Amino acid sequence: MKQPERAPVGVAFLDRIANAPALNTVLVLVAVHVLLCLLSFMPAPFTGGDNAGYMTLANSLLHEHKYLELYDPAHPAHTQYPPVFPLIIALAFSLSIKSWVGLKLIIVLFSATAVALSYLWLRRRRRSGIALGAGILLAVSPGVLELSHWELSDVPFWAFTMLALWAFERLRRSDDKRFAIAVIASVLAYFTRSAGLPLVVAAIAWLAFRRRWQQLAIFAGVLIPLMFFWWLRAHNLKGGVDYVQQFWSVNPYAPELGRAHITDLFTRAWDNNTKYLFTHTPILLTGQTNASLAILGLLVAVLSIVGWVRRLRKPGVADFFYPLYIGLLYVWPAVWSGERFLLPALPLVLSYAGEGLVFIAGKLSVRTAPAFGALATAFVLLLASPRIISEVRIGNVCTVEYFAGRPYACLAGQWQDFFGLAEWTRDSLPRDAVVLSRKDRMFYVLSGRTGRPYPMTRDFSEFLKTAKNAGARFVVLDHLDGLSSAYLTPVIASRPDAFCVIHATDPNSDAMLGIRLDASPSAPLAGAGESISLGMCAPEFLQQPEPPKPVVTQ
């Protein structure tokens, strides 16, 4: 009788590691991830502004018991961001966790949870080797480590999504506890980010596909009324710009380009495809991108398609979710594409790519297929190692600066100027001052002064109309990006008589300007090519109030 061929010693060793007790592996992955997160920790706040919006909504829930945009002088109802992440921050505030660092550590905990759930979900798919390889990459990848320091909803959304996918994976009809977890996790995911809609649709499609009519009725009975209530509230209230308006903008930062047409969606999808394949995927996995790493992104995408197609023979919720979520990323405005939006799909990308690789390697040699996966994981880790080392070094320097009393030292110079001006405003402008700025929410969190964004227009009369509607007598001339020079500077240049200087340390730094609301909108324009000269503001623009408490502390 012919004896079965034994696997090579190295392959057998890999199998033993991959099939180690799940709890032991989870603990190791979480420990490594948390350690690297802390070593590469960035204490300075994320500069996007969404984080300030979430914090302001948390304050509104905690103190006003309403969902209001407190950073806006009119305090309108907020209709854009779902409430779960602001509720998490409100809970942190109630526990006296009010510093940027404290909120960042909460995100680190969610990131570690998401890594663990991603591994457990993959392990439940009966792919222990792929689960281990993907778990290692998720735990140490530079892009994932960086996102764990941002005070945004993306990492909690990733964690809730993976909890839902884990609960749905191989769900039995009789497993009421796991189904309850799947329902609750789906609710939390959707009401953390509206991008959770593909998860809801995928779960409904899978339950219908498997003829789970009772579970489908319960799932839809819980989710759909809540989603409808949220939509109805947004429909009936006049809040800020909603996602539908943003979706149909050619470029939300260039309103003069108008609305997108159906044909524009194809151009948008192509642009997003290029960015996610050749830039965002390599950055997530290795922390950098170049021509060689662009090939890595393409290779991962091709392998993931192979793996996903093979999964369609007996699809799960994740296999329905994957194309729906990627499709959403592709049709969203290309100017907003980024690694953080791909993060919830990264475990799926790695899972399918691993299955595709094992399938192709298995065609060559069944015995050495695990070795191919191990080598692929090691190769990506090798590419990522320089960036991991760099992030740890930068994190150490920035943490030392933070404890030395310089919390913004690791931010770019223009952001240090902006934050410094906001702190000057907190101590110097009237308590009821309304300020137009590029980052109105961040400015409010740092200064305690309400405001709105300055309008994206070069027309002075439109600018003046916005200022009067907001009751704003102040505007920040910043150097954050090209928007100020594209819109605000031409407005000031056209009517220098309508502005005055309140505070500026030097001509190259950010400046607080006063707006003369009594200026005539129809006055003649300044001559072309004339130099701009602004006088100092009258004393009544200023007073020395008692400094208000900022939304967050250092």
Side-chain angles (χ1 to χ4, degrees), residues 12-216:
F13 177 71
L14 292 174
D15 286 338
R16 285 198 298 272
I17 294 177
N19 290 288
L23 178 60
N24 294 346
T25 305
V26 164
L27 291 177
V28 172
L29 291 175
V30 167
V32 171
H33 183 66
V34 172
L35 177 63
L36 289 176
C37 285
L38 296 179
L39 289 175
S40 62
F41 195 76
M42 177 62 69
F46 173 68
T47 57
D50 287 353
N51 51 345
Y54 289 122
M55 294 171 192
T56 308
L57 291 171
N59 251 357
S60 177
L61 290 169
L62 191 61
H63 300 296
E64 303 293 332
H65 307 296
K66 297 178 181 178
Y67 208 49
L68 306 176
E69 296 178 345
L70 298 181
Y71 45 82
D72 188 291
H75 292 178
H78 184 81
T79 60
Q80 185 176 358
Y81 298 150
V84 166
F85 189 53
L87 283 169
I88 293 171
I89 297 178
L91 177 61
F93 284 174
S94 68
L95 298 175
S96 298
I97 303 174
K98 297 184 178 181
S99 67
W100 294 109
V101 169
L103 296 175
K104 286 171 177 288
L105 290 175
I106 291 174
I107 302 302
V108 169
L109 292 178
F110 272 105
S111 187
T113 302
V115 169
L117 289 170
S118 298
Y119 169 77
L120 291 174
W121 164 71
L122 281 165
R123 183 82 175 235
R124 192 165 177 79
R125 286 167 78 90
R126 296 175 176 171
R127 282 294 195 178
S128 56
I130 295 174
L132 180 61
I136 291 173
L137 292 180
L138 291 172
V140 306
S141 291
V144 178
L145 295 175
E146 181 179 1
L147 291 173
S148 72
H149 305 154
W150 291 8
E151 321 88 64
L152 298 175
S153 64
D154 303 278
V155 172
F157 173 66
W158 175 29
F160 292 137
T161 299
M162 296 316 302
L163 178 59
L165 294 180
W166 169 81
F168 272 119
E169 191 65 35
R170 291 167 51 207
L171 176 66
R172 298 190 304 270
R173 294 178 185 270
S174 59
D175 197 338
D176 295 335
K177 291 182 179 179
R178 187 178 289 272
F179 178 65
I181 294 174
V183 173
I184 294 171
S186 298
V187 171
L188 291 174
Y190 179 81
F191 286 97
T192 299
R193 290 197 68 235
S194 297
L197 178 61
L199 175 63
V200 176
V201 175
I204 291 175
W206 181 77
L207 291 170
F209 176 76
R210 297 298 299 272
R211 301 179 183 273
R212 304 280 188 90
W213 305 122
Q214 183 178 4
Q215 291 177 334
L216 175 60

Side-chain angles (χ1 to χ4, degrees), residues 277 281-282 285-286 291-301 379-380 383:
L277 285 185
T281 298
L285 294 176
T286 69
S292 300
L293 292 175
I295 298 175
L296 172 66
L298 179 61
L299 181 61
V300 169
F379 177 68
V380 176
L383 294 175

